[in-house]
């Protein structure tokens, strides 16, 4: 049994959540993955995975072994990429987590520049609005909007972006345009459910050096950014969205920015990654590129 290959197979099974998906990533038969895990468990003398007809779960021993495997595989990857980097070409695969809206509006449009600069780096994008465990998901770094929660991750600030209150021309024709923060109370809004709490997020404003938080009357609630914007475009209610998500809709007249006399509240855009003594050259190159290119682009929002 090739123990290094077995470690790689086991970590993929844990991260993808199944033998079939791991086999697809490795481009082998599911039976090959199953046999590798059985041989690994026999070699270690412990059960790493609980198996049912519907799903698999990781045992306590499996979780400890997974953490060890990831540390070893990262050390090997970093060593290989360091050698490649010293030869003048940075190579390697990195896993980047972000939200679908940031990927669509910010990251993917800028990636051709990254690919031209680092043709040897392969990026595996993982998209989710939910907060994920970077270590257990095997993700090297994440790009997130909003104030980061306290954690043991390193945070590098890219830029600040404003929040805009918007409405569709159809909605404004039916209900009129709010002239003040207080005026919002008589309007309908589209609610957005926080992935961490499942509660509808309040709208915050800055006025006369004060921060005002409002809970508005929701016409419906969604937990997906694309659905949220679509509801606003359909005229179901007012929305409060990040500038990078609505800038194209605003420029083409599908949405109208409201309360423009107020200073918009802002949130940071950041790249976060685990603390590591041996951050691979590929990951370091991507993070530095985010600070340089995406950070610069974000300053124009």
């Amino acid at each position: 049994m090739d123990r290094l290959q077995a470690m790689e197979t086991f970590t993929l099974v844990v991260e993808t959540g199944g033998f079939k998906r791991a086999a697809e990533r490795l481009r082998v038969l599911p039976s090959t993955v199953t046999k590798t895990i059985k041989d690994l468990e026999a070699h270690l003398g412990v059960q790493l995975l609980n198996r049912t007809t519907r799903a698999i779960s990781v045992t306590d021993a499996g979780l400890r072994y997974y953490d060890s495997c990831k540390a070893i595989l990262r050390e090997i990857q970093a060593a290989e990429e360091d050698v490649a980097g010293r030869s003048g070409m940075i190579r390697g695969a990195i896993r980047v987590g972000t939200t679908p809206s940031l990927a669509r509006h910010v990251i993917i449009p800028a990636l051709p520049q990254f690919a031209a600069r680092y043709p040897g780096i392969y990026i595996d994008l993982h998209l989710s609005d939910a907060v994920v465990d970077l270590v257990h998901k095997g993700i090297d770094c994440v790009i997130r909007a909003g104030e980061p929660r306290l954690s043991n991750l390193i945070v590098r600030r890219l830029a600040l972006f404003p929040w805009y209150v918007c409405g569709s021309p159809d909605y404004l024709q039916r209900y009129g345009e709010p002239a003040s923060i207080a005026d919002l109370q008589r309007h309908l809004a589209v609610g957005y459910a926080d992935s961490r709490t499942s509660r509808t997020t309040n709208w915050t404003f800055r006025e006369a050096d004060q921060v005002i938080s409002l809970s508005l009357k929701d016409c419906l609630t969604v937990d997906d950014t694309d659905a949220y914007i679509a509801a606003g475009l359909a005229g179901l209610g007012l929305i409060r969205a990040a500038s990078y998500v609505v800038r194209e809709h605003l420029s083409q007249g599908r949405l109208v920015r409201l309360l423009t006399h107020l200073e918009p509240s802002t949130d940071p855009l950041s790249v976060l990654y685990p603390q590591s003594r041996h951050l691979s050259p590929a990951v370091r190159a991507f993070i530095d590129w985010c600070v340089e290119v995406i950070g610069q682009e974000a300053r124009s929002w």
Side-chain angles (χ1 to χ4, degrees), residues 199-271:
R199 297 176 181 172
T200 303
T201 55
N202 286 354
W203 291 15
T204 58
F205 300 91
R206 192 178 300 275
E207 186 177 42
D209 296 328
Q210 288 186 327
V211 176
I212 301 172
S213 180
L214 290 182
S215 177
L216 302 183
K217 180 181 178 182
D218 299 328
C219 58
L220 81 161
T221 300
V222 299
D223 61 358
D224 174 80
T225 301
D226 285 344
Y228 183 72
I229 300 302
L233 290 168
L236 292 171
L238 301 180
I239 60 174
R240 176 179 175 272
S243 58
Y244 59 84
V245 176
V246 295
R247 55 182 173 173
E248 183 176 337
H249 297 304
L250 291 172
S251 66
Q252 297 185 6
R254 294 190 291 265
L255 289 173
V256 177
R257 184 184 167 196
L258 307 171
L259 303 176
T260 56
H261 62 285
L262 298 176
E263 178 186 354
S265 58
T266 59
D267 266 330
L269 182 68
S270 309
V271 56

Side-chain angles (χ1 to χ4, degrees), residues 6-7 16 29 36 66 90 137 199 235-236 247 253 274 300:
M7 287 181 177
T16 61
L29 294 173
T36 299
Y66 171 82
I90 299 177
K137 289 292 184 180
R199 297 176 181 172
L236 292 171
R247 55 182 173 173
S300 66

Side-chain angles (χ1 to χ4, degrees), residues 1 19 32 57 73 85 106 114 121 131 135 139 148 150 159 168 178 182 203 218 244 262 271 284 292 299:
M1 178 184 65
F19 293 94
T32 301
S57 61
L73 293 172
V106 179
F114 182 81
I121 298 178
V131 177
V135 176
I139 294 176
L150 292 176
S168 71
W203 291 15
D218 299 328
Y244 59 84
L262 298 176
V271 56
R284 190 179 301 279
E292 175 192 346
R299 292 184 184 94

Side-chain angles (χ1 to χ4, degrees), residues 31-52:
S31 58
T32 301
V33 173
T34 301
K35 183 179 185 305
T36 299
I37 298 301
K38 286 182 177 179
D39 290 346
L40 182 60
E41 289 177 325
H43 171 75
L44 295 172
V46 296
Q47 185 174 348
L48 300 173
L49 301 169
N50 294 314
R51 304 157 176 85
T52 68

Side-chain angles (χ1 to χ4, degrees), residues 258-295:
L258 307 171
L259 303 176
T260 56
H261 62 285
L262 298 176
E263 178 186 354
S265 58
T266 59
D267 266 330
L269 182 68
S270 309
V271 56
L272 300 85
Y273 53 97
Q275 299 184 45
S276 173
R277 290 185 300 107
H278 301 294
L279 195 64
S280 77
V283 174
R284 190 179 301 279
F286 180 78
I287 291 170
D288 290 342
W289 174 81
C290 286
V291 173
E292 175 192 346
V293 176
I294 294 183

Side-chain angles (χ1 to χ4, degrees), residues 52-179:
T52 68
T53 56
R54 292 179 177 269
I56 66 166
S57 61
V58 188
T59 65
D60 289 341
L63 285 173
R64 292 194 299 272
Y65 186 65
Y66 171 82
D67 290 339
S68 298
C69 286
K70 288 301 295 183
I72 292 169
L73 293 172
R74 285 180 185 277
E75 292 283 348
I76 293 173
Q77 182 183 17
E80 292 175 345
E81 291 176 356
D82 182 59
V83 171
R86 292 177 188 276
S87 68
M89 171 67 81
I90 299 177
R91 298 183 180 276
I94 61 175
R95 305 182 81 190
V96 179
T98 191
T99 64
S101 58
L102 275 170
R104 182 175 299 108
H105 298 286
V106 179
I107 301 168
I108 290 177
L111 278 182
Q113 300 176 54
F114 182 81
R117 188 184 300 185
Y118 301 106
I121 298 178
Y122 174 83
I123 295 179
D124 186 3
L125 267 182
H126 291 256
L127 308 182
S128 174
D129 281 325
V131 177
V132 299
D133 186 324
L134 269 65
V135 176
H136 283 167
K137 289 292 184 180
I139 294 176
D140 295 298
C141 64
V142 294
I143 300 174
R144 287 286 174 182
E147 198 64 50
R149 296 293 196 272
L150 292 176
S151 71
N152 59 352
L153 300 177
I154 296 175
V155 179
R156 290 188 68 179
R157 182 70 49 86
L158 302 179
L160 291 174
F161 65 90
W163 290 87
Y164 293 157
V165 175
C166 306
S168 71
D170 177 62
Y171 176 91
L172 298 176
Q173 185 176 10
R174 286 183 286 127
Y175 295 99
E177 182 174 329

